[in-house]
Amino acid sequence: MDNSVYITLSRQLALFRDMDVTANNVANTNTTGYASEHVLFNSYLTKDVNQKNRNDMAFAYDISTYKNFENAPIHATGNQLDLAIASDGFFSIETPLGVRYTRAGNFQIDGSGTLVTAEGNPVLGNNGQHIVFTPETQDIKVGEAGNISVDGAEFATIDIYKFSNPQLLERLDGSMFKSEVTPDILVDAKVVQGALSGANVKPVLELTHMIEVSRAVANTAKMIETMY
């Protein structure tokens, strides 16, 4: 097979990867706390061993994806258990598979009085402890630092964590991440009660990029077709 076909195929594979990542961003436009992703591309240079002059050949490949942790728009909900982080940082969540991190603050209280995520996983505070309310709890206030007061009395604190390199976080689903390193508590966190952090996806830009990628895929397919 001609080397130009291999080069074109490498470009097409990279475009398919780009399309997958872009489509996932579009699908999560309305996912609370979602951080968009983008693909990093590069060229791999190698010598053509079949040619006497050994010219360089540039193959396209995607190095990896990087996560965009820019703050997303915050939407008021009026629900006292909805929390948004208006700064850097993540909530800490206990799951059956270990501690996970998220910026999605759509919380609720389960039957035992524990503050949990929409999936029923406990939200951690006070150095890794569950936050459990009594049945008599009426008014819950959450301050910027994550400090919780119940009926006017200090009750607990939701710790907000930061990572020195958040790109090392492994995405598990839309807005939940796993970390192999222990994060630090973010001392200057800004928590907003009665609001949720949306996705930092820009739908128009993502859809425009998807169209561009689709056209590029079609062009590479035509190029391969004309070679045969």
Side-chain angles (χ1 to χ4, degrees):
M1 186 179 292
D2 189 87
N3 287 328
S4 58
V5 176
Y6 288 116
I7 294 173
T8 305
L9 285 174
S10 72
R11 168 64 173 162
Q12 194 167 54
L13 289 174
L15 288 170
F16 285 151
R17 173 62 174 155
D18 195 2
M19 178 66 79
D20 288 342
V21 172
T22 304
N24 190 56
N25 287 339
V26 173
N28 284 280
T29 299
N30 296 317
T31 299
T32 302
Y34 178 79
S36 60
E37 285 187 322
H38 304 281
V39 179
L40 285 174
F41 291 104
N42 206 340
S43 294
Y44 175 73
L45 295 178
T46 186
K47 295 291 185 181
D48 185 352
V49 297
N50 297 318
Q51 299 294 330
K52 292 182 178 180
N53 55 11
R54 299 287 182 90
N55 291 329
D56 285 338
M57 297 186 299
F59 290 87
Y61 75 106
D62 56 298
I63 303 174
S64 64
T65 59
Y66 69 93
K67 307 169 192 69
N68 174 19
F69 286 111
E70 291 181 359
N71 289 339
I74 293 178
H75 309 286
T77 66
N79 186 336
Q80 66 178 355
L81 297 179
D82 284 344
L83 304 176
I85 301 176
S87 61
D88 294 335
F90 297 81
F91 298 109
S92 177
I93 309 298
E94 182 181 275
T95 76
L97 298 177
V99 176
R100 301 293 184 256
Y101 302 91
T102 184
R103 287 178 63 84
N106 46 331
F107 303 141
Q108 57 193 28
I109 297 176
D110 67 7
S112 66
T114 303
L115 186 67
V116 297
T117 64
E119 295 75 26
N121 297 314
V123 180
L124 299 179
N126 296 100
N127 299 315
Q129 300 299 311
H130 292 187
I131 300 171
V132 183
F133 299 97
T134 65
E136 295 77 21
T137 298
Q138 296 290 329
D139 184 42
I140 300 174
K141 298 293 185 185
V142 182
E144 278 196 351
N147 52 302
I148 302 174
S149 62
V150 172
D151 299 329
E154 290 296 321
F155 183 77
T157 299
I158 299 176
D159 289 333
I160 308 299
Y161 291 90
K162 66 176 180 179
F163 295 87
S164 57
N165 186 0
Q167 293 299 327
L168 296 178
L169 289 170
E170 177 186 350
R171 188 191 299 275
L172 301 178
D173 59 22
S175 57
M176 191 74 72
F177 295 92
K178 174 184 177 182
S179 175
E180 298 296 336
V181 300
T182 302
D184 298 317
I185 293 179
L186 181 62
V187 295
D188 57 349
K190 293 182 180 179
V191 177
V192 180
Q193 185 179 18
L196 290 174
S197 177
N200 62 5
V201 175
K202 298 178 180 178
V204 174
L205 294 181
E206 295 291 347
L207 289 172
T208 300
H209 183 64
M210 185 177 291
I211 293 172
E212 293 173 348
V213 173
S214 296
R215 289 174 177 169
V217 169
N219 289 337
T220 56
K222 288 180 181 179
M223 186 178 299
I224 294 173
E225 185 178 347
T226 58
M227 294 176 186
Y228 288 91

